[in-house]
Short mmCIF file of all heavy atoms in Angstrom, two decimals:
data_model
loop_
_atom_site.label_atom_id
_atom_site.label_comp_id
_atom_site.label_asym_id
_atom_site.label_seq_id
_atom_site.Cartn_x
_atom_site.Cartn_y
_atom_site.Cartn_z
N LYS A 43 -21.52 -4.67 6.44
CA LYS A 43 -22.51 -5.52 7.10
C LYS A 43 -21.86 -6.66 7.89
O LYS A 43 -22.53 -7.47 8.51
CB LYS A 43 -23.52 -6.07 6.07
CG LYS A 43 -24.35 -4.97 5.42
CD LYS A 43 -25.14 -4.18 6.48
CE LYS A 43 -25.67 -2.86 5.95
NZ LYS A 43 -25.97 -1.87 7.00
N GLY A 44 -20.54 -6.68 7.88
CA GLY A 44 -19.82 -7.73 8.61
C GLY A 44 -19.50 -7.33 10.05
O GLY A 44 -18.83 -8.07 10.76
N ILE A 45 -19.95 -6.14 10.44
CA ILE A 45 -19.65 -5.70 11.81
C ILE A 45 -20.92 -5.15 12.46
O ILE A 45 -21.72 -4.48 11.80
CB ILE A 45 -18.48 -4.68 11.82
CG1 ILE A 45 -18.02 -4.39 13.25
CG2 ILE A 45 -18.83 -3.38 11.10
CD1 ILE A 45 -16.61 -3.79 13.35
N GLU A 46 -21.11 -5.47 13.74
CA GLU A 46 -22.30 -4.99 14.45
C GLU A 46 -21.90 -4.24 15.71
O GLU A 46 -20.90 -4.58 16.34
CB GLU A 46 -23.18 -6.18 14.84
CG GLU A 46 -24.11 -6.54 13.71
CD GLU A 46 -25.03 -7.69 14.03
OE1 GLU A 46 -25.24 -8.01 15.21
OE2 GLU A 46 -25.53 -8.27 13.05
N LEU A 47 -22.72 -3.26 16.07
CA LEU A 47 -22.42 -2.43 17.24
C LEU A 47 -22.82 -3.14 18.53
O LEU A 47 -23.90 -3.73 18.61
CB LEU A 47 -23.19 -1.11 17.12
CG LEU A 47 -22.99 -0.10 18.25
CD1 LEU A 47 -21.57 0.46 18.25
CD2 LEU A 47 -24.00 1.03 18.15
N SER A 48 -21.95 -3.06 19.51
CA SER A 48 -22.33 -3.52 20.85
C SER A 48 -23.07 -2.37 21.52
O SER A 48 -22.54 -1.26 21.63
CB SER A 48 -21.06 -3.86 21.64
OG SER A 48 -21.33 -3.80 23.03
N ILE A 49 -24.31 -2.61 21.91
CA ILE A 49 -25.10 -1.54 22.54
C ILE A 49 -24.93 -1.64 24.05
O ILE A 49 -25.26 -2.65 24.67
CB ILE A 49 -26.57 -1.62 22.11
CG1 ILE A 49 -26.65 -1.46 20.58
CG2 ILE A 49 -27.41 -0.56 22.81
CD1 ILE A 49 -27.98 -1.83 19.99
N SER A 50 -24.35 -0.57 24.62
CA SER A 50 -24.04 -0.58 26.05
C SER A 50 -25.29 -0.34 26.90
O SER A 50 -26.28 0.21 26.42
CB SER A 50 -23.05 0.55 26.36
OG SER A 50 -21.86 0.36 25.65
N VAL A 51 -25.18 -0.72 28.16
CA VAL A 51 -26.18 -0.28 29.13
C VAL A 51 -25.62 0.96 29.81
O VAL A 51 -24.40 1.09 29.94
CB VAL A 51 -26.49 -1.37 30.21
CG1 VAL A 51 -27.20 -2.55 29.60
CG2 VAL A 51 -25.23 -1.82 30.94
N THR A 52 -26.49 1.88 30.20
CA THR A 52 -26.03 3.05 30.95
C THR A 52 -27.09 3.50 31.94
O THR A 52 -28.28 3.32 31.71
CB THR A 52 -25.65 4.22 30.02
OG1 THR A 52 -25.15 5.30 30.83
CG2 THR A 52 -26.83 4.75 29.22
N THR A 53 -26.58 4.10 33.03
CA THR A 53 -27.51 4.66 34.03
C THR A 53 -27.75 6.14 33.77
O THR A 53 -28.46 6.78 34.52
CB THR A 53 -26.93 4.48 35.46
OG1 THR A 53 -25.68 5.19 35.53
CG2 THR A 53 -26.71 3.01 35.78
N ARG A 54 -27.12 6.70 32.73
CA ARG A 54 -27.33 8.13 32.51
C ARG A 54 -28.69 8.39 31.84
O ARG A 54 -29.27 7.49 31.24
CB ARG A 54 -26.16 8.76 31.74
CG ARG A 54 -26.26 8.71 30.25
CD ARG A 54 -25.58 9.92 29.62
NE ARG A 54 -25.18 9.67 28.24
CZ ARG A 54 -26.01 9.60 27.21
NH1 ARG A 54 -27.32 9.68 27.40
NH2 ARG A 54 -25.55 9.40 25.99
N GLN A 55 -29.13 9.64 31.97
CA GLN A 55 -30.40 10.04 31.37
C GLN A 55 -30.32 9.99 29.86
O GLN A 55 -29.27 10.30 29.29
CB GLN A 55 -30.72 11.49 31.78
CG GLN A 55 -31.08 11.67 33.23
CD GLN A 55 -32.40 11.01 33.57
OE1 GLN A 55 -33.41 11.24 32.90
NE2 GLN A 55 -32.40 10.15 34.58
N ARG A 56 -31.43 9.64 29.25
CA ARG A 56 -31.50 9.65 27.80
C ARG A 56 -31.46 11.10 27.31
O ARG A 56 -32.12 11.96 27.88
CB ARG A 56 -32.82 8.99 27.37
CG ARG A 56 -32.89 8.61 25.93
CD ARG A 56 -34.08 7.69 25.69
NE ARG A 56 -35.35 8.30 26.08
CZ ARG A 56 -36.03 9.17 25.33
NH1 ARG A 56 -35.58 9.50 24.13
NH2 ARG A 56 -37.15 9.69 25.75
N ARG A 57 -30.67 11.38 26.26
CA ARG A 57 -30.64 12.74 25.70
C ARG A 57 -31.70 12.86 24.61
O ARG A 57 -32.09 11.84 24.02
CB ARG A 57 -29.27 13.03 25.08
CG ARG A 57 -28.14 13.10 26.08
CD ARG A 57 -26.85 13.58 25.41
NE ARG A 57 -25.73 13.45 26.32
CZ ARG A 57 -24.60 12.81 26.04
NH1 ARG A 57 -24.42 12.25 24.87
NH2 ARG A 57 -23.63 12.72 26.93
N PRO A 58 -32.13 14.10 24.30
CA PRO A 58 -33.09 14.25 23.21
C PRO A 58 -32.54 13.62 21.93
O PRO A 58 -31.36 13.79 21.62
CB PRO A 58 -33.21 15.78 23.04
CG PRO A 58 -32.67 16.38 24.29
CD PRO A 58 -31.72 15.40 24.89
N GLY A 59 -33.38 12.88 21.25
CA GLY A 59 -32.95 12.26 20.00
C GLY A 59 -32.41 10.84 20.18
O GLY A 59 -32.25 10.11 19.21
N GLU A 60 -32.08 10.48 21.42
CA GLU A 60 -31.57 9.13 21.64
C GLU A 60 -32.73 8.14 21.80
O GLU A 60 -33.81 8.51 22.27
CB GLU A 60 -30.69 9.09 22.90
CG GLU A 60 -29.31 9.66 22.67
CD GLU A 60 -28.41 9.53 23.90
OE1 GLU A 60 -28.94 9.48 25.04
OE2 GLU A 60 -27.19 9.51 23.74
N MET A 61 -32.46 6.89 21.43
CA MET A 61 -33.49 5.88 21.51
C MET A 61 -32.97 4.68 22.29
O MET A 61 -31.86 4.20 22.01
CB MET A 61 -33.86 5.45 20.09
CG MET A 61 -35.33 5.18 19.88
SD MET A 61 -35.63 5.09 18.11
CE MET A 61 -35.18 3.41 17.81
N GLY A 62 -33.76 4.23 23.26
CA GLY A 62 -33.40 3.03 24.02
C GLY A 62 -33.33 1.84 23.07
O GLY A 62 -34.18 1.69 22.20
N GLY A 63 -32.30 1.02 23.21
CA GLY A 63 -32.16 -0.17 22.36
C GLY A 63 -31.40 0.12 21.08
O GLY A 63 -30.94 -0.80 20.41
N ARG A 64 -31.25 1.41 20.74
CA ARG A 64 -30.47 1.77 19.55
C ARG A 64 -29.16 2.44 19.97
O ARG A 64 -28.08 2.03 19.58
CB ARG A 64 -31.26 2.72 18.64
CG ARG A 64 -30.52 3.03 17.34
CD ARG A 64 -31.13 4.20 16.59
NE ARG A 64 -30.98 5.45 17.33
CZ ARG A 64 -31.51 6.61 16.94
NH1 ARG A 64 -32.25 6.66 15.86
NH2 ARG A 64 -31.32 7.71 17.65
N ASP A 65 -29.28 3.49 20.81
CA ASP A 65 -28.08 4.20 21.26
C ASP A 65 -27.50 3.54 22.52
O ASP A 65 -26.29 3.38 22.65
CB ASP A 65 -28.41 5.66 21.53
CG ASP A 65 -28.94 6.32 20.26
OD1 ASP A 65 -28.15 6.51 19.33
OD2 ASP A 65 -30.15 6.61 20.19
N TYR A 66 -28.38 3.25 23.44
CA TYR A 66 -28.02 2.57 24.69
C TYR A 66 -29.23 1.78 25.15
O TYR A 66 -30.35 2.03 24.70
CB TYR A 66 -27.72 3.60 25.80
CG TYR A 66 -26.39 4.28 25.72
CD1 TYR A 66 -26.30 5.60 25.29
CD2 TYR A 66 -25.23 3.63 26.13
CE1 TYR A 66 -25.06 6.25 25.23
CE2 TYR A 66 -24.00 4.28 26.07
CZ TYR A 66 -23.92 5.58 25.62
OH TYR A 66 -22.71 6.22 25.56
N HIS A 67 -29.02 0.89 26.10
CA HIS A 67 -30.13 0.37 26.89
C HIS A 67 -30.10 1.20 28.16
O HIS A 67 -29.11 1.15 28.91
CB HIS A 67 -29.92 -1.11 27.23
CG HIS A 67 -29.83 -1.98 26.00
ND1 HIS A 67 -30.93 -2.23 25.19
CD2 HIS A 67 -28.79 -2.65 25.46
CE1 HIS A 67 -30.54 -3.02 24.20
NE2 HIS A 67 -29.26 -3.27 24.32
N PHE A 68 -31.13 2.01 28.39
CA PHE A 68 -31.13 2.89 29.56
C PHE A 68 -31.70 2.11 30.76
O PHE A 68 -32.84 1.64 30.70
CB PHE A 68 -31.95 4.15 29.27
CG PHE A 68 -31.32 4.99 28.19
CD1 PHE A 68 -31.74 4.87 26.86
CD2 PHE A 68 -30.28 5.87 28.48
CE1 PHE A 68 -31.14 5.62 25.85
CE2 PHE A 68 -29.68 6.62 27.47
CZ PHE A 68 -30.11 6.50 26.16
N ILE A 69 -30.88 1.96 31.78
CA ILE A 69 -31.32 1.16 32.94
C ILE A 69 -31.03 1.94 34.23
O ILE A 69 -30.27 2.92 34.22
CB ILE A 69 -30.60 -0.21 32.99
CG1 ILE A 69 -29.07 -0.04 33.12
CG2 ILE A 69 -30.93 -1.06 31.76
CD1 ILE A 69 -28.32 -1.34 33.36
N ASP A 70 -31.62 1.47 35.37
CA ASP A 70 -31.34 2.18 36.61
C ASP A 70 -30.13 1.54 37.33
O ASP A 70 -29.64 0.48 36.92
CB ASP A 70 -32.59 2.26 37.51
CG ASP A 70 -33.11 0.88 37.90
OD1 ASP A 70 -32.33 -0.09 37.85
OD2 ASP A 70 -34.30 0.78 38.24
N ALA A 71 -29.69 2.22 38.40
CA ALA A 71 -28.47 1.79 39.09
C ALA A 71 -28.62 0.39 39.69
O ALA A 71 -27.65 -0.39 39.70
CB ALA A 71 -28.12 2.79 40.17
#
Side-chain angles (χ1 to χ4, degrees):
K43 296 301 164 202
I45 190 161
E46 274 181 19
L47 181 68
S48 158
I49 300 167
S50 299
V51 292
T52 183
T53 61
R54 88 148 157 73
Q55 290 292 309
R56 195 167 58 81
R57 293 188 189 127
E60 283 184 334
M61 218 166 84
R64 184 193 67 185
D65 300 291
Y66 283 105
H67 299 290
F68 295 96
I69 61 172
D70 60 22

